[in-house]
Amino acid sequence: MIKKSILLTLVIFINLFANQTKLYFNKNSISNAQTAVLYLEAKDITNPKLTILENKININFHKLNGKKNIYYALVPSSYYDINKKLKIIVSYTKNNKKLFDSIYLNVKEGTYKSEIIKVKSSKVTLNKRTKKRTKTEYSNAMKIYHTFTPKKLWKDKFILPLNSPITSAFGTKRVYNNTLKGYHSGTDFKAKVGTKIIAANDGIVVLTKNRFYAGNSIIIDHGQGIYTCYYHLSKFLVTKNQRVKRGQVIALSGKTGRVTGPHLHFSARVNSVQVDPLQLIEILNNL
Ligand SMILES: [Zn+2]
């Protein structure tokens, strides 16, 4: 009898909580550099946010299209988050009270390959001037990725920047002159010089610049912390601050920057973190 009443109390207690809020991921675990979608179902709340404790990244939730009381947030994992359990703290306001909840995201090691890249030694051992240049270019790019446009600037599904075979996958461990120098931060598409490159979705061009590693580069802000990047271009067909449409030709591909041959390097950032662009597109298109 006592046992039964304890069980009943427990069931009521669980139901009470279940009715209040639900917090769940689209997947229980992801690979390093993939993005997860965190859903929050709650009534009469405002200002839902989360923090990834591991790297102190703060992310806003957004209302899920056409769904009442359901919010989503894009939770990126970095390439270096291997075999980690990321603790996510969620907060929101209800009845003038700030409430908290938490959930873990499991990040396993992705099955990324290794490859050896041969480039001119002058490009590997940078001189003082080039070091300064790459440092400035990196900090300017990080400033962009940390700028958050709250509005969602796209409507339709994301598309690939060109229709062409992938020549180098995202995440491949990169070895230059027998030294491990990080990983391949984007997806390479086969593209002879002069191939038309299109915008993956609607957005605002936030960078058109020649940079040491990436060559002629375009970055598009799609809003909600999402950026897509197009590198090694031969010609820009858009300018900074220009609004672009999904599928609009933005540039011609090329072989500028640190490359061994012509191709398009396509990459993406979510809430400042570099992620697998094709996996990001997949989850965005399934929202
Ligand atoms: Zn690349």
Side-chain angles (χ1 to χ4, degrees):
M1 195 63 193
I2 293 166
K3 221 174 168 185
K4 216 174 171 184
S5 69
I6 290 172
L7 195 70
L8 194 69
T9 316
L10 198 69
V11 168
I12 291 169
F13 192 72
I14 289 168
N15 272 329
L16 203 69
F17 263 84
N19 286 336
Q20 278 186 334
T21 59
K22 266 190 205 167
L23 195 59
Y24 53 94
F25 278 108
N26 62 326
K27 262 174 115 180
N28 288 329
S29 76
I30 55 170
S31 294
N32 55 321
Q34 289 193 337
T35 308
V37 187
L38 180 59
Y39 292 99
L40 169 65
E41 290 186 29
K43 275 184 189 168
D44 308 318
I45 64 157
T46 52
N47 210 16
K49 283 179 188 169
L50 68 85
T51 302
I52 307 173
L53 276 194
E54 184 79 23
N55 39 27
K56 307 268 186 298
I57 292 177
N58 300 309
I59 297 169
N60 291 334
F61 277 89
H62 308 284
K63 273 205 162 157
L64 195 62
N65 266 352
K67 297 267 168 71
K68 216 184 161 191
N69 305 325
I70 305 182
Y71 302 83
Y72 73 91
L74 299 167
V75 182
S77 69
S78 126
Y79 191 83
Y80 301 103
D81 286 335
I82 299 168
N83 297 325
K84 277 186 186 171
K85 238 180 150 177
L86 301 180
K87 190 172 187 181
I88 320 282
I89 305 289
V90 172
S91 73
Y92 50 87
T93 307
K94 188 169 182 166
N95 301 327
N96 294 321
K97 257 193 230 160
K98 194 165 182 184
L99 299 173
F100 295 90
D101 206 339
S102 70
I103 190 167
Y104 283 93
L105 177 63
N106 290 308
V107 183
K108 57 185 195 303
E109 184 170 10
T111 48
Y112 299 120
K113 289 179 186 159
S114 282
E115 70 180 357
I116 291 160
I117 307 291
K118 283 180 185 150
V119 286
K120 268 192 236 154
S121 65
S122 67
K123 294 244 176 180
V124 176
T125 321
L126 306 180
N127 62 34
K128 222 175 157 186
R129 224 178 93 230
T130 313
K131 256 187 196 165
K132 203 181 157 197
R133 178 184 169 188
T134 56
K135 217 178 146 187
T136 308
E137 286 170 353
Y138 178 78
S139 71
N140 286 344
M142 290 317 287
K143 253 181 238 162
I144 290 173
Y145 301 134
H146 281 99
T147 306
F148 188 79
T149 305
K151 207 177 163 215
K152 182 183 174 197
L153 301 175
W154 81 95
K155 287 190 289 288
D156 295 328
K157 289 185 186 301
F158 277 73
I159 51 175
L160 294 179
L162 79 166
N163 188 6
S164 161
I166 291 168
T167 51
S168 177
F170 170 88
T172 306
K173 291 166 194 128
R174 286 251 151 128
V175 183
Y176 296 106
N177 299 340
N178 299 321
T179 315
L180 184 65
K181 292 274 186 186
Y183 67 98
H184 186 220
S185 59
T187 305
D188 286 353
F189 289 89
K190 190 175 176 179
K192 57 177 201 269
V193 176
T195 306
K196 284 177 182 166
I197 303 303
I198 59 173
N201 218 329
D202 299 353
I204 297 166
V205 175
V206 287
L207 181 129
T208 52
K209 207 174 175 24
N210 181 274
R211 301 188 297 176
F212 179 77
Y213 290 112
N216 292 332
S217 315
I218 291 180
I219 301 176
I220 299 176
D221 179 2
H222 301 286
Q224 297 192 347
I226 299 161
Y227 291 91
T228 55
C229 316
Y230 314 77
Y231 295 166
H232 313 307
L233 307 166
S234 60
K235 195 178 181 190
F236 296 127
L237 298 171
V238 288
T239 52
K240 197 183 163 185
N241 298 324
Q242 186 178 333
R243 266 196 180 253
V244 289
K245 285 278 173 205
R246 168 186 185 263
Q248 182 178 335
V249 179
I250 54 167
L252 299 180
S253 70
K255 51 174 184 175
T256 54
R258 188 169 72 165
V259 286
T260 50
H263 69 275
L264 177 81
H265 174 103
F266 176 61
S267 62
R269 291 254 175 183
V270 182
N271 297 311
S272 79
V273 180
Q274 187 132 56
V275 294
D276 178 345
L278 302 192
Q279 190 265 345
L280 173 70
I281 284 180
E282 194 188 313
I283 64 142
L284 288 174
N285 289 349
N286 282 313
L287 269 180

